[in-house]
Amino acid sequence: MSVAFAGNSTTGTSREAGPLRVMIVDDSVVIRGLISRWIGAEHDMEVAASLRTGLEAVNQIERINPDVAVLDIEMPELDGISALPQLLAKKRDLVVIMASTLTRRNAEVSFKALSLGAADYIPKPESTREASAADIFHHDLIQKIRHLGARLRRKSAVASPPLAPASPAAPVARAPVVARPAAAPAPAPHALFPGPMSTRPFSTQAPKVLLIGSSTGGPQALMTLVTELGPVIDRFPVLITQHMPPTFTTILAEHLARSSRKPAAEAVDGEPVKPGRIYLAPGGKHMRVVRSGAEPAIALDDGPAVNFCKPAVDPLFTSAIDIWHGNILSVILTGMGSDGMRGGKDIVAAGGSVIAQDEASSVVWGMPGAAANAGICAAILPLNQIGAKVNRLFAGDRS
């Protein structure tokens, strides 16, 4: 029987099969209690500590040795953005999820946290009494902890080869271990999305629009990608759906404009879709494309979430077919879930093409993995190769 130790792995026993240890750092006792209950109900994670300030977290990180930290931004003594680099200095592989309410300042701080090494962010509901907001927060937080923690475990398993069997020794007395359900290992991408991991030829039809979908890890990936897309943006419209709440998408659009040095903004309902601009789906709205007279135009709607997301990628991908038919190139970047896969299937069926980010360069290989395993991709590429490939395709290369 293997035993999961709470401390550092100096005992020669790995924690790989144990539950993910989560440290909650928030000055709100209500939020700490809520998250603690949610984590306690999951078979594959446990609360390692529940702390009120960033200073407590920094002082106790080595003793607690968590896998994941949910870190509030606004706290007394030491706030989240100040605590973040100190936590990562003491535990380099710590997965940090920043939590904040939906204000412009907190959105800016969350983006800064991503550049300092945070793995992701999550917006907290302004009131936990609002059932729908609390349900979304619950679902998203547990999924982020599970998927980002599982990625850490997989990376650790690759970096650390299995220990050699210990030589026989006299039995050592141990304290009794309370049995608990074994944590189910995170399924491999091919188990989540069964299907052929093969690529198909690129469409022979020249692309006339670039569609991009992304989620967890997407802001960093998007800002990297758009720096390389100047020639495409100048001649063709670029439409992006990133899973992100209101206010956060406003900030992301500003960052995309700075990174690309091209006009980028949240899309506005009814505005025409033209070359030379980046259109970003605003948080809390699905973005579709419709025909308005002779021109394509943006259509925003407040319909129900799709794939647990709003905005979602599938509505954008599917709606674009009515406008550009098979003259579509779509890119699916890092993210949890499978959003974009069904819309990608429709694009391929109409004669267009799909590129997916590869697993090694993805923060979470959910969305691109779903597309790759569905056999709809013409290429599965590292992030640093996608921009050059997109430029060649829009320049006439069909290989």
Side-chain angles (χ1 to χ4, degrees), residues 42-55:
E42 301 297 323
H43 71 279
D44 55 349
M45 56 189 74
E46 66 184 10
V47 177
S50 177
L51 307 174
R52 191 180 71 88
T53 73
L55 185 60

Side-chain angles (χ1 to χ4, degrees), residues 21-25 35 39 48-49 51 57 61 64 66-72 84 87-88 91 93-99 118-120 122 141 145 148 152:
R21 293 171 50 77
V22 184
M23 179 174 71
I24 306 161
V25 190
I35 296 175
I39 290 172
L51 307 174
I61 180 72
I64 296 166
D67 299 303
V68 179
V70 180
L71 184 62
D72 187 24
L84 173 64
L87 291 171
L88 292 175
K91 185 174 173 60
D93 63 350
L94 179 67
V95 172
V96 180
I97 301 171
M98 305 300 295
D120 204 0
I122 187 165
L141 178 62
I145 292 171
L148 292 168
L152 168 68

Side-chain angles (χ1 to χ4, degrees), residues 156-168:
S156 299
V158 171
S160 304
L163 295 171
S167 56

Side-chain angles (χ1 to χ4, degrees), residues 26-315:
D26 197 302
D27 64 331
S28 167
V29 66
V30 173
I31 292 294
R32 292 200 308 274
L34 198 63
I35 296 175
S36 295
R37 288 196 298 275
W38 292 341
I39 290 172
E42 301 297 323
H43 71 279
D44 55 349
M45 56 189 74
E46 66 184 10
V47 177
S50 177
L51 307 174
R52 191 180 71 88
T53 73
L55 185 60
E56 291 177 3
V58 170
N59 290 339
Q60 299 184 49
I61 180 72
E62 291 158 316
R63 178 185 65 79
I64 296 166
N65 193 27
D67 299 303
V68 179
V70 180
L71 184 62
D72 187 24
I73 287 179
E74 297 175 317
M75 293 179 290
E77 295 184 354
L78 189 68
D79 62 21
I81 196 67
S82 301
L84 173 64
Q86 297 183 50
L87 291 171
L88 292 175
K90 292 189 173 188
K91 185 174 173 60
R92 287 182 300 171
D93 63 350
L94 179 67
V95 172
V96 180
I97 301 171
M98 305 300 295
S100 70
T101 51
L102 288 174
T103 66
R104 182 180 175 91
R105 176 187 173 277
N106 285 343
E108 287 278 19
V109 171
S110 295
F111 276 96
K112 182 179 178 181
L114 293 176
S115 70
L116 293 175
D120 204 0
Y121 61 88
I122 187 165
K124 294 192 297 187
E126 294 187 17
S127 171
T128 56
R129 291 187 295 272
E130 186 182 342
S132 61
D135 286 346
I136 293 171
F137 180 46
H138 180 188
H139 173 272
D140 289 352
L141 178 62
I142 293 300
Q143 292 302 310
K144 288 176 188 287
I145 292 171
R146 177 169 291 128
H147 286 273
L148 292 168
R151 181 175 185 263
L152 168 68
R153 291 279 175 90
R154 287 196 297 272
K155 287 173 64 177
S156 299
V158 171
S160 304
L163 295 171
S167 56
V172 178
R174 294 185 184 273
V177 177
V178 177
R180 64 178 292 155
H190 60 77
L192 285 171
F193 311 112
M197 181 69 76
S198 59
T199 57
R200 59 198 305 124
F202 277 98
S203 172
T204 58
Q205 301 182 56
K208 295 180 179 178
V209 64
L210 176 62
L211 310 179
I212 305 174
S214 53
S215 183
T216 308
Q220 306 97 305
L222 287 167
M223 283 185 274
T224 297
L225 180 58
V226 298
T227 61
E228 304 174 5
L229 296 180
V232 173
I233 299 169
D234 287 339
R235 298 174 54 215
F236 303 93
V238 176
L239 295 92
I240 300 172
T241 293
Q242 158 72 37
H243 296 165
M244 188 172 267
T247 306
F248 281 67
T249 47
T250 305
I251 306 299
L252 176 59
E254 294 169 2
H255 281 267
L256 293 175
R258 286 197 292 269
S259 295
S260 66
R261 299 184 180 179
K262 305 293 180 184
E266 290 178 299
V268 176
D269 189 56
E271 73 172 315
V273 176
K274 296 180 176 295
R277 296 186 61 83
I278 298 173
Y279 301 83
L280 179 68
K285 302 281 187 180
H286 295 305
M287 178 172 72
R288 293 180 168 85
V289 190
V290 297
R291 190 167 295 284
S292 177
E295 288 189 324
I298 296 293
L300 303 179
D301 75 67
D302 197 21
V306 176
N307 302 316
F308 298 101
C309 305
K310 188 177 173 184
V313 179
D314 279 338

